Amino acid sequence: SQQGEEDPQALSIQEGENATMNCSYKTSINNLQWYRQNSGRGLVHLILIRSNEREKHSGRLRVTLDTSKKSSSLLITASRAADTASYFCAQWSSWGKLQFGAGTQVVVTP
Amino acid sequence: GAGVSQTPSNKVTEKGKYVELRCDPISGHTALYWYRQSLGQGPEFLIYFQGTGAADDSGLPNDRFFAVRPEGSVSTLKIQRTERGDSAVYLCASSLETTTEAFFGQGTRLTVV
């Protein structure tokens, strides 16, 4: 079974627009990570946010974490065609297990 | 190498055969993870190792699946009596220790015909 759920399942936007996706999870976490997967196979680590952090930035990425609601969001600003990919959140449980949600497929059209 | 390496990148096997999938983690990473991913789905946890021991194997679907990491570095995922439903991309990841950033290999695409 998967720990988290991403919302929406799919997102289609135009270049220059912002993309927001959300992740909810079920159990307490140590930290939460976001990954990107282009068509193909490798997952690329984007950002890690710890359970005692509320917001983190990396370039055009902004991640928030609300542990009271067991949710996180990923915002991609000024999207580019190269941002077309699937995005996954993953949670580290306190006993060291890293679990993924089903992902959000993002398509950015020129 | 600098990253996680998985071999082979593609494997086609006949139903009922035995396969081994190999993962070379980043040097010095104590934690190693195996996942399985089907088309349109997120990675499904199979097993993770802390050093040589399997810390959590709750994701292995049945006793046809087994994984080892005898020296705490390279790991092998072994699948006996393969079935068509085993077809998927098998992903390996490693991290310096649990709860730190995990780095993924490019995966092995297994096709059982």
Side-chain angles (χ1 to χ4, degrees):
Chain A
S1 64
Q2 292 180 313
Q3 156 79 316
E5 296 282 339
E6 283 92 341
D7 170 58
Q9 290 184 330
L11 183 59
S12 185
I13 56 174
Q14 291 193 316
E15 265 191 328
E17 293 181 336
N18 295 342
T20 300
M21 60 210 85
N22 303 294
C23 165
S24 60
Y25 55 92
K26 299 172 186 174
T27 61
S28 62
I29 59 170
N30 185 292
N31 64 49
L32 184 143
Q33 304 182 47
W34 284 90
Y35 287 82
R36 182 185 72 218
Q37 187 177 41
N38 293 88
S39 62
R41 290 170 268 175
L43 283 101
V44 174
H45 182 270
L46 295 177
I47 198 164
L48 180 154
I49 186 165
R50 301 196 182 283
S51 59
N52 61 355
E53 296 176 311
R54 292 296 168 259
E55 187 170 313
K56 204 159 182 180
H57 297 254
S58 176
R60 293 183 296 111
L61 306 179
R62 173 177 166 253
V63 168
T64 63
L65 178 64
D66 187 335
T67 53
S68 67
K69 294 181 180 177
K70 292 188 169 57
S71 68
S72 174
S73 68
L74 170 66
L75 168 68
I76 306 172
T77 60
S79 62
R80 305 167 182 168
D83 295 327
T84 294
S86 292
Y87 292 83
F88 297 92
C89 69
Q91 301 85 35
W92 283 113
S93 66
S94 56
W95 59 93
K97 188 171 174 178
L98 181 63
Q99 289 191 277
F100 287 78
T104 294
Q105 279 191 298
V106 175
V107 175
V108 182
T109 54
Chain B
V4 178
S5 176
Q6 290 188 247
T7 54
S9 55
N10 287 283
K11 176 72 177 178
V12 180
T13 191
E14 292 181 347
K15 180 175 177 296
K17 298 288 189 183
Y18 168 81
V19 294
E20 289 189 351
L21 311 179
R22 177 186 167 106
C23 174
D24 280 86
I26 293 172
S27 178
H29 280 194
T30 62
L32 183 147
Y33 309 82
W34 283 100
Y35 293 84
R36 177 170 71 174
Q37 187 176 26
S38 300
L39 194 63
Q41 303 294 315
E44 175 193 4
F45 172 82
L46 296 177
I47 184 171
Y48 95 86
F49 290 87
Q50 183 61 40
T52 59
D56 187 331
D57 64 358
S58 61
L60 294 177
N62 51 58
D63 61 6
R64 296 186 297 105
F65 288 74
F66 190 69
V68 295
R69 195 186 185 198
E71 297 177 358
S73 56
V74 172
S75 176
T76 305
L77 178 65
K78 308 180 181 193
I79 310 174
Q80 297 178 319
R81 305 183 303 280
T82 51
E83 300 177 355
R84 293 197 179 88
D86 299 334
S87 296
V89 175
Y90 288 81
L91 296 165
C92 176
S94 71
S95 62
L96 194 58
E97 49 191 48
T98 58
T99 75
T100 59
E101 181 182 349
F103 296 86
F104 280 79
Q106 290 299 304
T108 294
R109 184 179 301 280
L110 175 67
T111 304
V112 182
V113 297

